[in-house]
Amino acid sequence: MAEIKKRKKPLSVSPLKASQTIGASIAFLGIDRSIPMMHGSQGCTAFGKVFFVRHFREPIPLQTTAMDQASSVLGADENVIIGLKTICEKTKPDLIGLPTTGLAETQGCDVQRNVAEFRERFPEFESVRIVPVNTPDFTGSFEHGYAAAVKAMIETLVPESSCAGEKPQQVNVLAGSALSVGDVEWLGELIESFGLEPIILPDLSMSLDGHLTDRDYSPVSAGGMPVDKFNELGKSAATLVIGDSLTKAADALQQKTGVPNHYFPHLMGLEMNDRFIMALMAVSGKPAPKRLERQRSQLQDAMLDAHFTLGQARIAMAGDPDLLIGFSDLLSQMGCEIIAAVAPANAPILTKIATEFVQIGDLEDLEKMASQKDAQLIIGNSHAVATAERLKLPLIRAGFPQYDLLGGYGRCWSGYQATRQALFDFSNAITLHREHLIQPYHSIYSQKRSPHAQERNHDDQETYQADQLRI
């Protein structure tokens, strides 16, 4: 069991964390025709929107209650009510997510009461669903805000039901924040291959996958899980929960509907995918498609090929807890040594990471540990680029945000095929960056030149010429 070391520094240096508010907004964008409205200042929303646009390379529907100096002191209840009215009138969404920011939480907001007052004053907008959720950005992280929004949607929109199993071919899927858009899309296709109908909450593969629509511009999300599907969740045969952070949300859904849960912390590596496939076989009553058997055997072969490189490889990684446990399980099964693991906020799953201790901190902590323990590879988001450059180490980009890599949001990490590709990428990154300390010997009678001499040719012409004379 890994020890959790709490943050000791009074400030973050090279921050790793993305706020709860941003995580909650992403979750709301997985619902069709939805729009998040952050309760805070314009700067809070603009800052998040910049990261969304750079990560997904798409226009992102996002609104703000625009708290100013006066409302921050005297109260911003009217900002919330007028903001909801304006969005309902102008954009006519199916759902409005209302996450709070650190500013609003410090001011003492009560968004649940604000929504109740809005309902009383403007009953004509009764058809628009509104989900308030408290997501202060001075605590927690991206993952915590995402999980809080999913739980709030379940508590607000899912009716109590006793119809579990009424639709035996229908399954609920609670998709965690560590899953990329590509992961969610793969997940839906895999479940459908067993003859099952998945309802994915939230479904980012339909809203933020970068597809073109007939409309030039949409003020709300263009895809995702339809709002009406919240009424159907109670009729499913099972709920598949991907991500330890969604445990509370899954428990809330089970308590309301009685649909049994199947928990999976991630879907990386051979063991966890085997468990997931067996669960799908049990729910559907059907055998696994033949192509999965071939993909599994391909992964086994890739594990054999990669273990020469990854065995005892020293890995440093930083990210949210669900992402870290996935990489930890995958790499430790390959014989890698996790020499540094840094998370922006604490979570129970961190104790299961295959390392001596997990540091709650920032990228400066990662850089120090990676340098002291002679890391060979770094895993992190785009904020870790500078760290990797200073340490002269390869970086595998994962998590949010990835603003310097086109298509990073759509990379699939889950399943047999994606795991196979990940092993290849890890091995190639280490191999291509490896310094060959022992130079090959060339006889004085050989016509071969030392590769080292060729490298020096660009920097020192005189030295190169001297090497040529010696040969």
Side-chain angles (χ1 to χ4, degrees):
M1 177 178 290
E3 178 189 357
I4 306 300
K5 289 192 174 182
K6 296 184 179 179
R7 187 193 306 271
K8 293 183 179 178
K9 295 187 295 187
L11 76 167
S12 290
V13 181
S14 189
L16 167 67
K17 168 182 161 179
S19 73
Q20 282 202 73
T21 315
I22 289 179
S25 299
I26 284 284
F28 287 127
L29 289 172
I31 308 300
D32 191 24
R33 293 191 49 75
S34 70
I35 181 170
M37 182 176 74
M38 292 184 182
H39 185 22
S41 70
Q42 287 182 310
C44 297
T45 305
F47 193 70
K49 190 161 187 170
V50 166
F51 276 116
F52 288 153
V53 172
R54 295 179 72 187
H55 181 78
F56 293 106
R57 313 276 175 160
E58 298 294 332
I60 302 294
L62 200 61
Q63 284 294 346
T64 176
T65 56
M67 292 175 63
D68 57 13
Q69 297 90 330
S71 58
S72 298
V73 176
L74 301 176
D77 292 351
E78 197 64 15
N79 291 47
V80 177
I81 295 169
I82 298 301
L84 292 173
K85 175 177 177 291
T86 304
I87 293 175
C88 290
E89 288 177 340
K90 290 189 174 182
T91 62
K92 298 178 175 57
D94 288 346
L95 182 144
I96 300 175
L98 183 57
T100 61
T101 64
L103 175 62
E105 290 285 340
T106 305
Q107 184 254 351
C109 68
D110 185 351
V111 285
Q112 286 78 12
R113 179 177 56 81
N114 295 153
V115 172
E117 187 176 347
F118 170 77
R119 293 297 190 194
E120 290 181 1
R121 289 172 56 180
F122 302 101
E124 62 269 31
F125 300 122
E126 184 182 5
S127 62
V128 179
R129 276 79 162 185
I130 302 172
V131 181
V133 58
N134 294 94
T135 52
D137 49 20
F138 46 75
T139 184
S141 67
F142 178 89
E143 179 180 291
H144 294 83
Y146 183 100
V150 174
K151 183 170 181 283
M153 283 191 279
I154 290 172
E155 292 175 339
T156 307
L157 303 177
V158 177
E160 293 193 3
S161 167
S162 58
C163 302
E166 185 175 303
K167 293 185 175 181
Q169 299 306 309
Q170 177 177 292
V171 293
N172 306 326
V173 181
L174 298 188
S177 62
L179 298 179
S180 69
V181 171
D183 286 322
V184 177
E185 185 172 11
W186 163 83
L187 193 57
E189 293 174 352
L190 176 67
I191 294 172
E192 287 174 352
S193 70
F194 282 83
L196 299 171
E197 179 187 352
I199 300 179
I200 303 177
L201 172 65
D203 191 352
L204 298 178
S205 70
M206 298 296 289
S207 59
L208 292 173
D209 60 332
H211 66 281
L212 296 177
T213 64
D214 296 334
R215 294 171 292 181
D216 293 334
Y217 170 74
S218 174
V220 295
S221 62
M225 191 190 99
V227 170
D228 293 342
K229 288 290 184 182
F230 280 103
N231 297 326
E232 301 292 318
L233 293 175
K235 301 176 182 177
S236 298
T239 299
L240 307 174
V241 187
I242 318 298
D244 189 74
S245 60
L246 293 183
T247 300
K248 292 182 179 178
D251 292 343
L253 180 60
Q254 187 174 20
Q255 188 175 4
K256 276 198 162 187
T257 63
V259 177
N261 292 330
H262 300 263
Y263 295 94
F264 304 90
H266 59 85
L267 295 176
M268 295 185 191
L270 190 66
E271 181 182 352
M272 202 57 68
N273 277 287
D274 285 350
R275 275 187 53 198
F276 189 67
I277 297 299
M278 291 176 68
L280 289 177
M281 292 169 62
V283 174
S284 66
K286 295 182 179 179
K290 290 293 182 183
R291 62 182 175 82
L292 291 180
E293 295 181 13
R294 179 170 175 77
Q295 291 172 6
R296 187 179 188 277
S297 63
Q298 289 175 330
L299 172 58
Q300 289 177 307
D301 183 72
M303 295 172 73
L304 287 172
D305 296 340
H307 89 277
F308 294 104
T309 306
L310 296 181
Q312 297 183 330
R314 297 179 298 279
I315 311 295
M317 56 186 188
D320 282 322
D322 279 357
L323 194 68
L324 292 186
I325 190 63
F327 283 117
S328 170
D329 285 354
L330 171 62
L331 293 170
S332 60
Q333 289 169 7
M334 293 298 300
C336 295
E337 183 182 356
I338 309 299
I339 55 96
V342 179
N346 201 354
I349 197 69
L350 291 176
T351 59
K352 298 182 179 179
I353 290 179
T355 187
E356 182 181 355
F357 66 90
V358 177
Q359 179 69 52
I360 307 301
D362 51 35
L363 291 172
E364 184 190 49
D365 299 317
L366 178 77
E367 185 170 341
K368 287 181 178 177
M369 288 189 285
S371 177
Q372 292 168 357
K373 298 183 179 181
D374 196 18
Q376 294 176 275
L377 177 69
I378 292 177
I379 300 173
N381 60 26
S382 289
H383 292 312
V385 169
T387 299
E389 288 179 349
R390 284 192 291 269
L391 296 177
K392 298 181 180 179
L393 291 175
L395 170 68
I396 297 293
R397 292 168 177 79
F400 176 88
Q402 297 182 41
Y403 45 77
D404 64 333
L405 184 68
L406 195 62
Y409 67 91
R411 168 160 185 172
C412 182
W413 295 95
S414 302
Y416 296 127
Q417 280 185 310
T419 301
R420 178 189 183 214
Q421 186 59 49
L423 294 181
F424 289 154
D425 291 344
F426 294 145
S427 300
N428 291 332
I430 292 175
T431 301
L432 295 175
H433 227 77
R434 179 176 293 163
E435 293 184 4
H436 298 280
L437 299 179
I438 301 177
Q439 297 296 325
Y441 170 76
H442 295 294
S443 167
I444 59 174
Y445 304 107
S446 172
Q447 296 301 312
K448 296 178 180 177
R449 292 187 305 176
S450 166
H452 191 55
Q454 291 180 8
E455 292 175 3
R456 284 188 294 177
N457 177 42
H458 301 288
D459 299 326
D460 188 344
Q461 187 64 27
E462 293 182 0
T463 304
Y464 171 68
Q465 291 174 351
D467 287 341
Q468 290 288 70
L469 292 174
R470 282 198 293 272
I471 292 173

